[in-house]
Amino acid sequence: MSKKLMHALHYTSYGGGPSGLKHVEVPIPTPSKDEVLIKLEAASVNPFDWKVQKRMLWPLLPLKFPHIPCTDVAGEVIEVGRGVKKFKVGDKVVGFVSPFSGGGLAEFAVVKESRTASRPSEIPASQCAGLPVAGLTALQALTESVGIKLDVSGERKNILITAASGGVGHYAVQLAKLGNTHVTATCGARNIELVKSLGADEVIDYKTPDGAALKSPSGKKYDAVIHCAEGFPWSTFDPNLSAKAKVVDITPSPNAMMTFAFKKLTFSKKQLVPLLLIPKGKNLQFLVDLVKEGKLKTVIDSKYPLSKAEDGWARSIDGHATGKIIFET
């Protein structure tokens, strides 16, 4: 018996950018043990997705061609695999699709139960579809890498968040302000008021001299930096850091990895910490619950139907999105 087909976008080789994405009809996947099949209502693109296409994660990803990109999905469970206990058909969910198998840019996707969270039906899928990569990255950086408690307890910390109007950055500002923090943020001039509205205590235009130097307008030294922008050598951070500061780099370059190793080898009290996201369902559920409580929101840059997903892909590559780019099916 022939399998039912679904609309998806895939690419068959490295490179090509938006034009490398091809609209195809492929079989609807079947959930294996401990997996759920989701009928997508929304998905989101992250820079990680097009960096894979540009061969920047070779030889790790993708495992094979053709490859359906995107890991962030939200929708409704329509089938459960063996061993699934937490979810049933009809449940509204948000999930993290394995980047090794891929599959998020499609009408249906399979997700591990352990990387899935319940979503209240009253919360639009578009408000949750951006959480799996960007939200979890911000949460892991703040709570695990830096040690901030999101209940206003603990010692007060001065935090710098670069590229604070981007996907990870706009979540990081909101989450940081749930802790005992003073937040300095950088972004473009057009987004200063937005970032202030998310809770930042002071915001710097990254194109000004102080923005380029990452200097706090109030003269504070940073106890931690959530570095969401590209570039910036260690020498730019160093004079702005407190004695035991950590710089958490969410997209570490080879130079950043060398700095990380050097700081470790020399027992420096100031540390550069490269972040490798470890997605967990319980952390994703924590974020969804914050959305439900009105303590966290997704700023949506733009929405695209699946039929125009390549336009959203191009928008992400352009690098100037404010918040998240969402695909709707």
Side-chain angles (χ1 to χ4, degrees), residues 136-156:
L136 287 176
T137 296
L139 181 67
Q140 184 176 319
L142 287 162
T143 59
E144 297 182 29
S145 300
V146 178
I148 292 172
K149 294 179 171 60
L150 302 188
D151 58 4
V152 200
S153 68
E155 185 182 348
R156 188 166 177 82

Side-chain angles (χ1 to χ4, degrees), residues 21-43:
L21 294 174
K22 304 301 179 187
H23 292 265
V24 292
E25 297 289 316
V26 295
I28 295 173
T30 301
S32 300
K33 185 177 182 294
D34 299 326
E35 290 181 337
V36 295
L37 175 63
I38 300 173
K39 185 180 192 302
L40 267 65
E41 296 168 26

Side-chain angles (χ1 to χ4, degrees), residues 33 41 51 56 65 77 124 139 170-171 191 197 199 238 253-256 265 275 289:
K33 185 177 182 294
E41 296 168 26
K51 287 178 180 179
M56 293 171 72
F65 293 115
V77 176
L139 181 67
H170 91 284
Y171 287 131
N191 287 321
S197 76
D238 200 7
S253 64
N255 279 345
L265 289 169
L275 187 139
D289 291 344

Side-chain angles (χ1 to χ4, degrees), residues 149-317:
K149 294 179 171 60
L150 302 188
D151 58 4
V152 200
S153 68
E155 185 182 348
R156 188 166 177 82
K157 291 184 186 296
N158 296 321
I159 308 292
L160 169 67
I161 299 169
T162 61
S165 60
V168 176
H170 91 284
Y171 287 131
V173 170
Q174 296 174 78
L175 291 169
K177 289 309 295 179
L178 297 177
N180 187 9
T181 62
H182 178 282
V183 172
T184 304
T186 70
C187 65
R190 67 187 173 92
N191 287 321
I192 286 175
E193 292 308 313
L194 167 70
V195 174
K196 283 182 180 176
S197 76
L198 296 176
D201 297 287
E202 48 188 17
V203 186
I204 325 167
D205 176 356
Y206 75 93
K207 289 186 176 178
T208 63
D210 276 357
L214 302 177
K215 287 180 66 175
S216 163
S218 58
K220 287 181 168 57
K221 298 289 187 183
Y222 308 122
D223 302 306
V225 179
I226 310 301
H227 185 37
C228 307
E230 305 241 344
F232 290 100
W234 179 261
S235 57
T236 305
F237 292 111
D238 200 7
N240 299 301
L241 301 177
S242 64
K244 297 181 180 179
K246 288 183 178 179
V247 177
V248 183
D249 194 340
I250 70 162
T251 55
S253 64
N255 279 345
M257 295 304 291
M258 288 176 65
T259 301
F260 163 69
F262 178 75
K263 293 290 175 186
K264 282 291 186 187
L265 289 169
T266 57
F267 300 100
S268 171
K269 289 182 178 177
K270 297 178 182 178
Q271 292 289 328
L272 187 140
V273 182
L275 187 139
L276 175 64
L277 176 62
I278 302 172
K280 299 173 184 175
K282 66 176 183 179
N283 290 345
L284 188 54
Q285 191 65 60
F286 176 77
L287 293 178
V288 174
D289 291 344
L290 288 178
V291 173
K292 181 182 177 182
E293 294 164 14
K295 295 178 180 177
L296 183 68
K297 69 176 181 179
T298 297
V299 173
I300 296 175
D301 174 86
S302 47
K303 293 180 181 179
Y304 299 86
L306 201 57
S307 60
K308 299 275 183 68
E310 58 270 40
D311 294 341
W313 196 262
R315 173 74 177 155
S316 180
I317 292 172

Side-chain angles (χ1 to χ4, degrees), residues 46-60:
N46 295 284
F48 169 88
D49 299 311
W50 47 261
K51 287 178 180 179
V52 171
Q53 186 195 29
K54 288 178 74 171
R55 208 171 186 244
M56 293 171 72
L57 281 92
W58 181 88
L60 292 176

Side-chain angles (χ1 to χ4, degrees), residues 113-128:
E113 179 183 30
S114 61
R115 293 178 173 178
T116 305
S118 296
R119 169 175 64 90
S121 57
E122 66 269 20
I123 298 178
S126 59
Q127 269 297 309
C128 289

